[in-house]
Amino acid sequence: MPRRSHNNLGLRTHPNAVFGTQDYHLGIVPASDTGAFEMAMWSMLGQRPVDVCFWESFGKGWAKDCEVLGLDYTKHEAPYGELPDLSKTNPDNDILFTWNGTTSGVRVPDADWISDNRTGLTFCDATSAVFAQDLDWDKLDVTTYSWQKALGGEGGHGTIVLSPRAVERLRQRVGRVGRRAVLVARRA
């Protein structure tokens, strides 16, 4: 019987290779980074207020989603090509941000502005940063990316990475809505 030209070794080793730990959960979704990020937003936000940090088009889209979801949110906005004052985010809130703006090329220099003692979760769109820049995974709770940017792969697949804190939030949410799938993409 012929062997397949590929195997699932990459899927088994990917989380450990990326994070150096097996405590994180990795999911591959039939959507781009945008779809993966929206799945996380629509499934995990609402427990606490949200700080949305943006300086380019994708982050601005996350703020629009917060409005559609009826969330209590604060915008931390900067003109195109600049960063907002990220130190003004509240560590008790969930924080949404793009590590490296795809359209502007402006990126956060590091994760020092994210509190080690935060009670909220961080949601990071890392599609133009993962595998190209150093990310402080200890400070990233929900991280999404797609394969077509830094990995140079085909579009249409998104990756979502959940820290243990994010997994706990998702488990709490599943407990409230039943055992059906919670990470469901928004229907257009």
Side-chain angles (χ1 to χ4, degrees):
M1 174 173 248
R3 292 186 53 113
R4 293 177 53 120
S5 62
H6 59 281
N7 61 39
N8 66 356
L9 178 63
L11 294 178
R12 289 195 317 261
T13 60
H14 186 108
N16 199 36
V18 175
F19 321 113
T21 178
Q22 293 187 10
D23 293 339
Y24 282 72
H25 290 244
L26 177 103
I28 297 174
V29 299
S32 63
D33 172 64
T34 303
F37 200 88
E38 287 182 341
M39 279 189 228
M41 286 183 66
W42 288 67
S43 299
M44 300 175 74
L45 294 177
Q47 180 177 345
R48 58 185 62 240
V50 178
D51 285 344
V52 186
C53 307
F54 61 95
W55 51 93
E56 47 82 50
S57 60
F58 286 100
K60 194 171 191 175
W62 310 143
K64 289 179 186 174
D65 282 345
C66 287
E67 183 178 339
V68 169
L69 288 168
L71 299 174
D72 175 10
Y73 71 101
T74 302
K75 294 180 186 179
H76 300 272
E77 184 176 6
Y80 188 84
E82 298 178 26
L83 282 175
D85 184 352
L86 300 172
S87 68
K88 292 184 178 181
T89 58
N90 183 338
D92 293 327
N93 294 351
D94 289 332
I95 301 171
L96 312 181
F97 71 102
T98 304
W99 192 282
N100 186 78
T102 301
T103 59
S104 68
V106 174
R107 69 180 191 97
V108 296
D110 54 48
D112 292 349
W113 58 277
I114 299 171
S115 173
D116 290 327
N117 299 316
R118 67 192 179 284
T119 56
L121 297 178
T122 56
F123 289 67
C124 176
D125 170 352
T127 204
S128 292
V130 73
F131 301 114
Q133 300 171 20
D134 289 328
L135 303 179
D136 187 348
W137 290 101
D138 290 334
K139 298 212 178 171
L140 304 178
D141 297 306
V142 178
T143 307
T144 63
Y145 60 91
S146 62
W147 302 354
Q148 76 261 27
K149 297 291 192 250
L151 294 176
E154 296 181 22
H157 295 92
T159 303
I160 184 166
V161 182
L162 302 175
S163 73
R165 297 174 73 242
V167 170
E168 181 57 31
R169 165 85 62 90
L170 193 56
R171 283 188 177 133
Q172 291 171 358
R173 179 137 172 102
V174 169
R176 288 197 308 267
V177 298
R179 298 312 276 160
R180 63 191 165 116
V182 173
L183 285 176
V184 178
R186 170 176 62 133
R187 296 178 198 255

